């Protein structure tokens, strides 16, 4: 299962894994990858992704530079924050899992993952 893949790779931030599991299983994951590339993802009251560049230093809610916040749930403290490098690690595991089950979409998924990594200078 996908959660076990995250644990195997020592990626254990629970809200990030929960959001990504839901993205892989309940949404069009190729569109989700495009959203990560464009830094514009679906947000709902209980699930979403926020990029730190949406805030200025000193703004309420500011959580640092070059970071991504994943939230899941309705409580104010149900979130995890990662760097772009960490984001790419989580996305790699999610993509590998997705591709294993959707081989016909492997090329497209890999293309977006490579573009995301290039955007953030991650190898």
């Amino acid at each position: 299962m996908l959660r076990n893949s995250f644990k195997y790779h020592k990626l254990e931030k629970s809200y990030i894994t929960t959001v990504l599991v839901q993205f892989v299983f309940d949404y069009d994951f190729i569109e989700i990858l495009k959203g990560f590339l464009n830094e514009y993802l679906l947000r709902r009251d209980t699930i979403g992704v926020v990029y730190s560049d949406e805030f200025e230093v000193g703004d309420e809610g500011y959580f640092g530079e070059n970071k991504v916040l994943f939230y899941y749930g309705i409580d104010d403290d149900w979130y995890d924050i990662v760097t772009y490098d960490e984001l790419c690690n989580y996305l790699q595991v999610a993509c590998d899992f997705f591709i294993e089950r959707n081989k016909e979409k492997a090329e497209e998924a890999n293309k977006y993952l490579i573009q995301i990594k290039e955007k953030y200078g991650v190898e």
Side-chain angles (χ1 to χ4, degrees), residues 47-66:
I47 183 172
V49 177
V50 179
Y51 282 82
S52 60
D53 61 359
E54 294 181 34
F55 298 93
E56 298 291 327
V57 175
D59 284 352
E60 183 179 338
Y62 178 75
F63 55 92
E65 288 186 34
N66 302 320

Side-chain angles (χ1 to χ4, degrees), residues 7 12 22 68 85 94-95 98 109:
K7 286 181 183 177
E12 299 182 15
Q22 191 158 356
V68 184
D85 190 52
C95 276
F98 175 79

Side-chain angles (χ1 to χ4, degrees), residues 10-47:
K10 306 220 183 307
L11 301 170
E12 299 182 15
K13 292 189 175 190
S14 63
Y15 298 110
I16 296 172
T17 59
T18 300
V19 170
L20 288 175
V21 165
Q22 191 158 356
F23 282 170
V24 167
F25 285 105
D26 297 338
Y27 295 91
D28 179 342
F29 192 64
I30 297 298
E31 288 300 314
I32 294 294
L33 289 172
K34 286 181 196 177
F36 277 108
L37 180 61
N38 297 318
E39 296 185 6
Y40 185 79
L41 284 132
L42 167 83
R43 286 194 207 162
R44 305 227 167 146
D45 289 340
T46 59
I47 183 172

Side-chain angles (χ1 to χ4, degrees), residues 89-103:
N89 291 335
Y90 278 92
L91 288 178
Q92 180 69 62
V93 172
C95 276
D96 290 345
F97 184 88
F98 175 79
I99 289 168
E100 186 67 30
R101 282 145 186 81
N102 300 277
K103 294 189 186 326

